[in-house]
Amino acid sequence: MALYASMMIRKTNWQTDSSELSAIRHEVFVDEQAVPIELELDEYDAHCHHWLAYIDGRAVATVRVRGNGNIGRMAVRKCFRGQGVGKALLKTVV
């Protein structure tokens, strides 16, 4: 497992970063896992807390937390999986 020295995780919101958040989630859930787009994007996104993980300035992972504390919609781009990015993202959120 590799942790990147250049990794940065920041909290954001749907209004500010919906293009990056939705791009990662589309790649992982819709393209890779064949989740219908109408199920992947939902009415909760605008009201959730979101985080983005960056490596070398590139957004590589995301997660959201709903108002009730439920963590979901975590997605890590394929080439960054198994390297500690998701773990670091969850540690930040929790």
Side-chain angles (χ1 to χ4, degrees):
M1 174 171 61
L3 284 176
Y4 294 90
S6 64
M7 183 167 41
M8 180 198 65
I9 297 172
R10 71 175 178 88
K11 187 175 182 182
T12 187
N13 59 62
W14 192 255
Q15 292 73 20
T16 302
D17 286 307
S18 62
S19 61
E20 283 186 309
L21 295 163
S22 61
I24 294 169
R25 287 170 41 184
H26 193 281
E27 183 179 314
V28 172
F29 298 126
V30 178
D31 295 343
E32 290 180 32
Q33 298 177 9
V35 173
I37 189 69
E38 55 275 1
L39 295 179
E40 205 296 299
L41 298 175
D42 62 27
E43 68 275 13
Y44 301 113
D45 280 319
H47 308 288
C48 289
H49 301 281
H50 296 268
W51 282 262
L52 281 164
Y54 294 87
I55 295 176
D56 296 328
R58 178 181 177 206
V60 299
T62 185
V63 67
R64 79 175 189 188
V65 178
R66 290 182 46 190
N68 63 5
N70 287 346
I71 297 172
R73 298 298 202 275
M74 183 168 153
V76 179
R77 287 195 157 124
K78 194 172 191 172
C79 61
F80 293 96
R81 292 182 198 149
Q83 301 176 51
V85 176
K87 181 179 181 176
L89 192 57
L90 283 177
K91 283 179 79 172
T92 299
V93 168
V94 173

